[in-house]
């Protein structure tokens, strides 16, 4: 499934930013929103293992959730009550139900440029904000075409208000002055060239079916709040492969290897893995300067930690560090439940007429100038 014309990376970027400290991710959160404190490593009982005794991560997993990457509102704790979580879930379901309603065949024409969709809630939910920014006032698909998840993220049975756990306020640190200048130059260059949707070489990577939107494939691997938030993991002693449902990207993690020279760069960076007890640690560097995860540079460095909470849940933790982009590192944590769903083909270019129409429009413009 593919949404043509959605700039979700810009949509999510428009809904966040701010700053504080971010050490490595830990295990169990404090109740008032502070970073989770580390706890002694213990081998979970009953988790599947490979023939060499390592935790077996093979299977299909999902990180679909309605919990935002960054915490909304001031002073909200990291761990929220079940009552608050249920309230978020009920409001989100109301928004999804509203998008599934039949259109009124007798409605009048919308105003020029479209109009914002009305929320059934007193305040729009996080998903509604993402959908609004991604689709614009003209609108996009109704709920039939999306599968964002309908549950608040729960880790160790505790409902979370954000994926970011460090800084303690649940917000991504501020950009450095250098990053602000770099991002401004990129935006100015795009505007001078006519906009990212007015030229084939300026199209966003997701629109060109090179990477998933919302940083699904990562690293870090984040929910996109639309659909295709599933992963399939295949594991051997020397190599672990994570297949992302969206754009069927495959990350190949080489165990015990070394990063190549800095001159060799990849869309998803170069990932090497090692074991720390029962935790799989994945170190990724060598990103291209076009990956630009939330404005990142080539210095982007991501460390991920995979462990088993139980036989049906993976704990996924990550720390993002880029001294040329953020004033401090920052960390997040997710819990991935096992899913019985199959991964579906992401026919990214099928029925995607955007590129053809852009080129056709350019040729017509050239003819009209003659």
């Amino acid at each position: 499934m593919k949404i043509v014309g959605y700039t979700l990376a810009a949509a999510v970027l428009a809904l966040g930013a701010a700053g504080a400290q971010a050490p490595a991710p830990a295990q169990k959160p404090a109740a008032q929103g502070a970073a989770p404190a580390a706890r002694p490593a213990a081998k979970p009982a009953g988790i599947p293992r490979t023939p060499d005794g390592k935790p077996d991560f093979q299977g299909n997993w999902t990180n679909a959730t309605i919990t935002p990457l960054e915490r909304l509102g001031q002073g909200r704790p990291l761990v929220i009550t079940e009552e608050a979580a249920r309230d978020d879930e009920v409001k989100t379901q109301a928004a999804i139900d509203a998008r599934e309603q039949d259109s009124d065949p007798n409605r009048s024409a919308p105003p020029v440029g479209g109009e914002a969709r009305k929320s059934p809630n007193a305040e729009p939910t996080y998903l509604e904000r993402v959908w609004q920014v991604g689709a614009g006032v003209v609108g996009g698909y109704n709920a039939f075409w999306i599968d964002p998840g309908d549950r608040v993220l729960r880790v160790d049975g505790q409902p979370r208000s954000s994926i970011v756990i460090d800084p303690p306020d649940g917000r991504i640190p501020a950009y450095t002055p250098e990053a602000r200048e770099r991002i401004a130059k990129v935006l100015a260059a795009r505007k001078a060239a006519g906009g990212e949707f007015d030229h084939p070489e300026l199209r966003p990577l997701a629109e060109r079916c090179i990477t998933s939107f919302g940083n699904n494939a990562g690293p870090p691997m984040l929910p996109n709040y639309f659909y295709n938030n599933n992963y399939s993991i295949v594991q051997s002693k020397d190599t672990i492969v994570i297949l992302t449902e969206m754009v069927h990207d495959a990350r190949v993690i080489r165990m015990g290897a070394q990063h190549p020279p800095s001159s060799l760069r990849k869309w998803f960076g170069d990932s090497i893995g090692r074991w720390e007890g029962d935790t799989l640690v994945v170190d990724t560097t060598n990103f291209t300067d076009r990956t630009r995860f939330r404005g990142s540079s080539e210095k982007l460095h991501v460390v991920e930690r995979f462990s088993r909470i139980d036989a049906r849940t993976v704990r996924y933790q990550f720390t993002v560090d880029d001294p040329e982009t953020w004033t401090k590192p920052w960390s997040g944590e997710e819990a991935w439940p096992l899913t019985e769903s199959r991964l579906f083909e992401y026919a990214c270019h099928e029925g995607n007429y955007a590129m053809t129409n852009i080129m056709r429009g350019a040729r017509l413009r050239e003819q009209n100038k003659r």
Side-chain angles (χ1 to χ4, degrees), residues 111-292:
V112 175
E115 60 184 347
R117 184 189 296 267
K118 294 181 180 179
S119 173
N121 303 300
E123 293 290 336
T125 63
Y126 177 69
L127 288 192
E128 289 177 279
R129 298 186 195 186
V130 173
W131 296 337
Q132 181 68 54
V133 177
V137 293
V138 174
Y141 295 156
N142 60 25
F144 175 84
W145 299 101
I146 58 178
D147 185 23
D150 56 8
R151 298 293 306 280
V152 165
L153 171 66
R154 289 170 172 81
V155 182
D156 295 325
Q158 299 174 321
R160 296 286 181 88
S161 61
S162 65
I163 293 174
V164 172
I165 58 175
D166 268 331
D169 64 358
R171 306 287 293 177
I172 294 173
Y175 285 123
T176 63
E178 295 81 6
R180 290 195 295 270
E181 181 179 357
R182 183 177 68 245
I183 294 171
K185 287 182 178 179
V186 170
L187 295 176
R190 286 179 178 174
K191 185 176 182 180
E196 62 183 6
F197 293 104
D198 296 327
H199 191 287
E201 294 182 5
L202 295 178
R203 300 285 285 186
L205 299 181
E207 283 293 327
R208 296 171 62 188
C209 302
I210 294 175
T211 64
S212 61
F213 61 72
N215 222 63
N216 247 154
M221 295 183 289
L222 302 174
N224 62 55
Y225 305 104
F226 271 90
Y227 49 42
N228 295 94
N229 288 290
N230 297 329
Y231 304 91
S232 184
I233 299 179
V234 179
Q235 179 178 346
S236 72
K237 182 177 180 181
D238 301 317
T239 306
I240 297 175
V241 178
I242 304 177
L243 176 64
T244 307
E245 187 173 33
M246 179 174 288
V247 197
H248 41 76
D249 296 314
R251 285 182 58 201
V252 179
I253 301 168
R254 298 169 296 123
M255 300 299 294
Q258 298 292 324
H259 289 302
S262 60
S263 58
L264 179 60
R265 297 187 173 274
K266 308 175 183 179
W267 290 116
F268 307 111
D270 179 74
S271 295
I272 59 175
R274 68 180 187 274
W275 290 102
E276 291 184 0
D278 275 353
T279 299
L280 170 65
V281 181
V282 180
D283 185 281
T284 305
T285 60
N286 295 63
F287 291 91
T288 76
D289 62 352
R290 301 188 68 183
T291 300
R292 293 177 187 152

Side-chain angles (χ1 to χ4, degrees), residues 18-81:
Q21 178 96 25
Q27 301 268 347
K28 190 172 182 179
Q32 292 303 314
R39 64 186 181 193
K43 288 193 174 184
I47 66 169
R49 294 183 178 272
T50 59
D52 61 350
K54 301 299 183 184
D56 191 345
F57 293 102
Q58 296 185 105
N60 293 345
W61 311 89
T62 181
N63 67 352
T65 183
I66 66 174
T67 298
L69 174 64
E70 296 184 83
R71 201 165 307 152
L72 304 179
Q74 294 292 329
R76 198 180 195 200
L78 172 63
V79 177
I80 59 178
T81 65

Side-chain angles (χ1 to χ4, degrees), residues 9 12-14 16-20 70 172-184 292-297 322-328 330:
V12 175
L13 190 60
E70 296 184 83
I172 294 173
Y175 285 123
T176 63
E178 295 81 6
R180 290 195 295 270
E181 181 179 357
R182 183 177 68 245
I183 294 171
R292 293 177 187 152
F293 166 60
R294 300 182 72 91
S296 65
S297 72
D322 183 349
E324 293 188 358
T325 302
W326 294 286
T327 54
K328 298 176 182 178
W330 54 279

